[in-house]
């Protein structure tokens, strides 16, 4: 079990659907992240939130829209996705943004776009 | 940008020792971390080297040489449960905020 909880675990959506991924942590961490991971590849950073403010956007297409309602919650809103967006979406948090502050990952949402 | 290279696959025998290497090219360097990820699971943090030398945590050790832009993860007394993917990772900073970039990953298979 991890201390970062992601829902749903699996999601299948059509290209015209709108869905949301949810992430929750109760460790008091001040930074939260969205990563995308394709099969047999490393996680790739999408977004960084610090103190509930979007701090880094790695040039992610606008069909992915992050939201941080409060310090414990992080959402990723999905709209008009493409089949190539199918991947494992990982949420992570860290205590702060020092170089030695480890990332704590959730188990991810496995997304399939049909 | 950041570039971290690792061998794609390593196979080792249960009870043996295995070393997983990581070479990096980064703009600015703040340290090297290692993460483990089992199939279908979340990456979990193993270790961090901010300075040159060896850091030991139980059966796992991690080494860093800044002058060689090189590090490795050493796993001793291998167990079947150590079969997983291992990623080196480096933090960098954009506008004062941390972003972590992962290496290409090494899939370790432990055989009886």
């Amino acid at each position: 079990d991890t201390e970062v909880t992601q829902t749903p675990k699996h999601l299948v959506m059509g290209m015209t659907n709108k869905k949301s991924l949810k992430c929750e942590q109760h460790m008091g961490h001040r930074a939260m992240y969205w990563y995308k991971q394709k099969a047999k590849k490393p996680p790739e950073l999408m977004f960084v939130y610090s103190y509930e403010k979007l701090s880094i956007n790695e040039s992610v297409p606008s069909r992915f829209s992050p939201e941080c309602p409060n310090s414990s919650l992080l959402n990723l809103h999905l709209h008009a996705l493409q089949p190539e967006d199918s991947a494992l979406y990982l949420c992570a948090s860290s205590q702060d943004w020092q170089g030695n502050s480890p990332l704590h990952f959730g188990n991810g949402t496995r997304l399939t776009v049909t | 940008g950041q570039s971290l290279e690792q061998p794609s696959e390593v196979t080792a025998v249960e009870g043996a020792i295995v070393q997983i290497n990581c070479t990096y090219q980064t703009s600015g360097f703040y340290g090297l971390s290692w993460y483990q990820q089992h199939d279908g699971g979340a990456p979990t943090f193993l270790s961090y080297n901010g300075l040159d030398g060896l850091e030991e945590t139980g059966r796992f050790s991690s080494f860093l040489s800044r002058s060689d832009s090189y590090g490795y993860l050493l796993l001793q007394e291998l167990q079947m449960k150590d079969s997983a993917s291992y990623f080196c990772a480096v933090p960098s900073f954009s506008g004062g905020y941390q972003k972590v970039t992962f290496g290409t990953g090494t899939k370790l298979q432990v055989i009886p």
Side-chain angles (χ1 to χ4, degrees):
Chain A
D1 288 343
T2 67
E3 297 172 355
V4 177
T5 304
Q6 291 188 242
T7 56
K9 292 184 178 180
H10 301 275
L11 178 63
V12 179
M13 61 184 291
M15 290 189 285
T16 58
N17 292 158
K18 288 185 180 180
K19 296 287 184 182
S20 297
L21 308 185
K22 297 185 183 300
C23 174
E24 189 169 3
Q25 60 90 10
H26 292 288
M27 295 177 282
H29 287 177
R30 293 176 282 180
M32 296 186 77
Y33 310 78
W34 280 114
Y35 278 84
K36 173 183 177 179
Q37 187 176 27
K38 303 281 269 185
K40 301 185 188 301
K41 296 293 186 181
E44 294 181 4
L45 182 65
M46 301 175 71
F47 303 103
V48 180
Y49 271 83
S50 56
Y51 283 117
E52 304 161 43
K53 176 184 174 183
L54 181 62
S55 304
I56 297 176
N57 178 339
E58 290 287 90
S59 302
V60 178
S62 61
R63 58 185 184 268
F64 296 91
S65 176
E67 177 196 21
C68 190
N70 60 55
S71 59
S72 300
L73 295 174
L74 187 65
N75 299 322
L76 186 62
H77 303 297
L78 314 174
H79 174 55
L81 294 194
Q82 304 298 309
E84 58 265 29
D85 296 321
S86 298
L88 180 68
Y89 287 83
L90 293 161
C91 173
S93 67
S94 65
Q95 185 171 11
D96 52 38
W97 36 89
Q98 300 303 310
N100 61 349
S101 185
L103 300 181
H104 296 253
F105 283 90
N107 284 323
T109 294
R110 189 161 298 282
L111 174 68
T112 303
V113 181
T114 61
Chain B
Q2 323 297 329
S3 172
L4 300 93
E5 294 293 326
Q6 302 176 235
S8 58
E9 294 181 352
V10 173
T11 300
V13 177
E14 189 176 15
I17 299 173
V18 71
Q19 179 174 309
I20 298 174
N21 298 322
C22 173
T23 57
Y24 59 85
Q25 289 183 312
T26 60
S27 52
F29 181 78
Y30 302 92
L32 187 71
S33 297
W34 289 91
Y35 287 80
Q36 177 193 61
Q37 185 178 28
H38 288 98
D39 284 348
T44 56
F45 173 79
L46 292 176
S47 67
Y48 173 80
N49 292 72
L51 302 173
D52 284 1
L54 192 67
E55 294 281 343
E56 298 183 60
T57 308
R59 294 188 297 114
F60 293 4
S61 302
S62 56
F63 173 81
L64 175 65
S65 169
R66 287 172 174 251
S67 59
D68 296 320
S69 298
Y70 164 76
Y72 65 72
L73 181 68
L74 191 73
L75 295 79
Q76 303 182 71
E77 301 173 17
L78 280 174
Q79 301 176 7
M80 299 300 291
K81 67 179 182 179
D82 297 330
S83 293
S85 292
Y86 292 84
F87 297 94
C88 57
V90 292
S92 59
F93 294 88
S94 174
Y97 300 101
Q98 174 184 243
K99 51 190 285 187
V100 176
T101 302
F102 287 82
T104 52
T106 299
K107 188 171 180 64
L108 170 64
Q109 182 180 12
V110 180
I111 58 176

